[in-house]
Structures are given as C-alpha cells and as structure tokens.
C-alpha cells in the first residue's frame, strides 16, 4: 500500500471547513456511507477525502481502488467485504450486521485523542465509521439496504454521494451521455438481476434518441444485444464497452449491436465494465481525451 501523499493530506483540511449543517449534530458514533467514485482518486468528493482522513474504521468493497484507500489515515482499521458476481466475500445481510455491530462497539469507546476535535468539525462525531462503496452508494450499490439496517437500530448515519460509473466512465471515454443531436434522455439499468433473470423493459430500452447505460451487464452482453435487436433497434446501433473506466487500465471498445459481443470475446474484457448503447457512442472517436498508460 502506497503512503498517503503528504501534500494531499495537508491540503485537504486547510480547504474551507465542511458546511455548517454537517457540524450541528454531535453524536458519539456515526456511520458514513461514502461514494468512492469510479476509480480515479481525483474524482473523490472533498467530503469523502476528509472523512477518509479521520475515519477510525473503513469497510470497503472490491470496486474501491488502492489510490482511494491511500487517503485513509494509517491508524484506520480496514475491513474488506468485497463482492464480485458469483464470488461473495460477505453476504449483504452480514455486511449490514457488521456495520451495526461496529457502530455499537464504537459507541462504548470514549473519545480519547486529539483528533477528536477535528472529527467533530468534519464529521460531527467522535468515532467515524466509513462504509466506502464504489461509485455512488445509492446507484446499484445496495447502499439503501445498509442504511435501512442502521436506521432500524437507531444508529446515526450520513450518505455522501459519489460520482457514479456512468458519469465518470462516460466522461473519461469521451462519450457525452446526452447530446442535443443524438439523445434527449439517458437510462441507467442493471444487467444482473437479483434472481439471475434479465427481465427488463426491452421495448422502452430499445427506443431511439436515448442513451442506455448498463451496469453489471458484461456476462449478459449476448442476451442484451439479442433483446435490443428483437425489439426493433437497428443492427448498426453503436455500443461501447468501457473496462476499468477512469483508471490507468481503462479500455474502450466500440462496435454495434451485431459486432460488440465478438469484439468483446476477442479482447477478453473483464469486470468492471460498463455498456453504453446509443448514437452518442459515435462521438468517442472525436472526443476521446483520456489515454491510459499503455497508450502513452
Ligand atoms: N455503485 C456503483 C455501481 C456498482 S455496480 C456506481 O455508482 O458506480 C458495479 C458495476 O458498476 C460494475 O459491474 C460495472 O458495470 C460498473 N462499474 C463500476 N466501476 C466501473 C469502472 N471503473 N469502469 C467500468 N464499469 C464500472
């Protein structure tokens, strides 16, 4: 694990203090559900970076990059609860319970250190538990279920939004999600349903003049493209796959509904990858600005 960049550590607390409404409450322990963004640590919000620096415990999943974790204070306890499709490290129910248990355990810890004043200013709490999740915690992140569990136990919490994969990845791929010439709306959907089925509203998704962004859709790509074609989308509808978007390993693959599955197989794209379907994808060629390390 790389050390926390010194300049960053010093720079962030010296920025304007957190807004007043974050300073009003002063409970002993608070759980912060924090969005870590899509990968590039520069995309963290100021609030996320500040909270990471004063967290006592950080519970994080597999989408959180090392660069983001490097913002954590060295003393912070780090608990990995990562989940990948078909490879659950901890079932969701147990993650919910872990957050509740940590909050109760820390409730009984008396505040003891000088950092306490700093924590009260930043976090309104003596003890700070950060639940760090990739992207935005309330977009396909099951963040709602985690804070429900906290609310049911009367545990104080706060939600810190993050840049969701669709925004971050599309920006770094040079694909505007809306554009007056091509798409007047944008839909975020999932390609991985709870029961394993893929029972989406294909009629609505296949309509023109919109952009469809599919999270967790890589495995189901052949079925997704098949359904779009079955529901009337033209064969040449542009499709992009973006693997590890915003990171130095980002790969962007562009094709059409009829070609993308074979291209994907040929290049062996892996998770996390985002699928973007719609005419806006054609802008990638002109607007790509982010070049990963391999391309430099
Ligand atoms: N809460 C997260 C989404 C979690 S679902 C968010 O708001 O972004 C996980 C899915 O998000 C992955 O399967 C992938 O489809 C997408 N994803 C997350 N990070 C990504 C990245 N850096 N590049 C490409 N896709 C990503």
């Amino acid at each position: 694990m790389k050390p926390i960049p010194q300049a960053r550590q010093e720079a962030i607390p010296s920025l304007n203090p957190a807004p007043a409404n974050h300073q009003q409450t002063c409970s002993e322990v608070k759980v912060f559900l924090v969005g870590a963004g899509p990968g590039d640590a520069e995309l963290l919000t100021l609030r996320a970076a500040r909270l990471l620096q004063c967290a006592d415990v950080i519970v994080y999943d597999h989408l959180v990059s090392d660069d983001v974790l490097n913002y954590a204070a060295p003393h912070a306890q780090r608990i990995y609860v990562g989940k990948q499709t078909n490879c659950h490290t901890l079932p969701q129910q147990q993650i919910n319970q872990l957050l509740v248990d940590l909050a109760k355990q820390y409730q009984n810890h008396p505040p003891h250190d000088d950092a306490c004043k700093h924590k009260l200013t930043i976090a309104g709490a003596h003890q700070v538990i950060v639940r760090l999740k990739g992207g935005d915690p309330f977009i396909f992140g099951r963040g709602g279920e985690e804070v429900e569990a906290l609310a049911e136990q009367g545990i104080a919490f706060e939600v810190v939004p993050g840049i969701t994969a669709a925004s971050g990845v599309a920006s770094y791929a040079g694909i505007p999600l809306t554009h007056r010439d091509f798409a007047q709306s944008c839909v975020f959907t999932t390609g991985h349903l709870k029961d394993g089925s893929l029972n989406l509203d294909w009629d609505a998704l296949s309509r023109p003049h919109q952009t469809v962004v599919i999270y967790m859709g890589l495995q189901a790509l052949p079925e997704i493209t098949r359904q779009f074609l079955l529901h009337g989308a033209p064969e040449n509808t542009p499709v992009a796959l973006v693997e590890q978007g915003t990171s130095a390993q980002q790969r962007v693959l562009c094709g059409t509904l009829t070609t993308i599955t074979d291209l994907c197989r040929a290049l062996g794209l892996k998770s996390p990858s985002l699928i973007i379907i719609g005419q806006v994808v054609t802008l990638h060629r002109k607007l790509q600005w982010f070049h990963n390390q391999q391309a430099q």
Side-chain angles (χ1 to χ4, degrees), residues 237-268:
T237 303
V239 182
L241 294 182
V242 187
E243 180 191 59
Q244 293 195 56
T246 81
S247 77
Q249 289 72 39
Q250 171 174 299
R251 285 201 287 175
V252 183
L253 183 61
C254 293
T256 66
L257 283 175
T258 47
T259 63
I260 198 74
T261 301
D262 287 344
L263 285 171
C264 176
R265 267 194 207 115
L267 288 170

Side-chain angles (χ1 to χ4, degrees), residues 134-282:
D136 182 276
F138 274 7
I139 295 190
F140 303 124
R142 305 184 71 174
E145 296 168 42
E146 294 179 12
V147 289
E148 261 182 277
L150 297 170
E152 281 159 16
Q153 297 290 322
I155 292 163
F157 65 87
E158 188 178 311
V159 183
V160 180
I163 293 185
T164 190
S167 299
V169 168
S171 295
Y172 277 50
I175 301 174
L177 292 179
T178 65
H179 186 290
R180 286 196 298 174
D181 294 337
F182 301 114
Q184 282 70 49
S185 63
C186 175
V187 180
F188 297 173
T189 188
T190 172
H192 177 77
L193 300 188
K194 201 171 177 179
D195 61 0
S197 73
L198 201 56
N199 190 16
L200 301 175
D201 184 352
W202 298 111
D203 276 329
L205 294 176
S206 307
R207 284 188 200 124
H209 312 300
Q210 64 178 351
T211 305
V212 177
V213 181
I214 306 179
Y215 289 69
M216 296 171 280
L218 200 61
Q219 280 190 347
L221 184 64
E223 177 62 7
I224 289 168
T225 52
R226 196 178 77 85
Q227 290 290 351
F228 267 76
L229 293 169
L230 264 179
H231 288 78
E235 288 188 354
N236 63 357
T237 303
V239 182
L241 294 182
V242 187
E243 180 191 59
Q244 293 195 56
T246 81
S247 77
Q249 289 72 39
Q250 171 174 299
R251 285 201 287 175
V252 183
L253 183 61
C254 293
T256 66
L257 283 175
T258 47
T259 63
I260 198 74
T261 301
D262 287 344
L263 285 171
C264 176
R265 267 194 207 115
L267 288 170
L269 261 66
K270 296 200 183 71
S271 181
S273 290
L274 201 69
I275 306 172
I276 305 176
I277 303 178
Q279 294 299 325
V280 288
V281 168
T282 57

Side-chain angles (χ1 to χ4, degrees), residues 86-165:
N86 304 330
C87 173
H88 290 247
T89 303
L90 259 194
Q92 186 62 48
Q93 194 60 37
Q94 283 182 35
I95 296 176
N96 300 352
Q97 192 57 46
L98 173 70
L99 295 176
V100 169
D101 291 346
L102 283 168
K104 288 185 173 166
Q105 180 189 326
Y106 274 81
Q107 207 103 46
N108 304 322
H109 272 222
H112 56 84
D113 53 65
D114 291 345
C116 206
K117 210 172 136 213
H118 179 60
K119 284 190 216 165
L120 277 170
T121 311
I122 304 283
H126 290 299
Q127 310 291 351
V128 175
I129 298 170
V130 166
R131 168 63 173 122
L132 192 59
K133 299 175 80 76
D136 182 276
F138 274 7
I139 295 190
F140 303 124
R142 305 184 71 174
E145 296 168 42
E146 294 179 12
V147 289
E148 261 182 277
L150 297 170
E152 281 159 16
Q153 297 290 322
I155 292 163
F157 65 87
E158 188 178 311
V159 183
V160 180
I163 293 185
T164 190

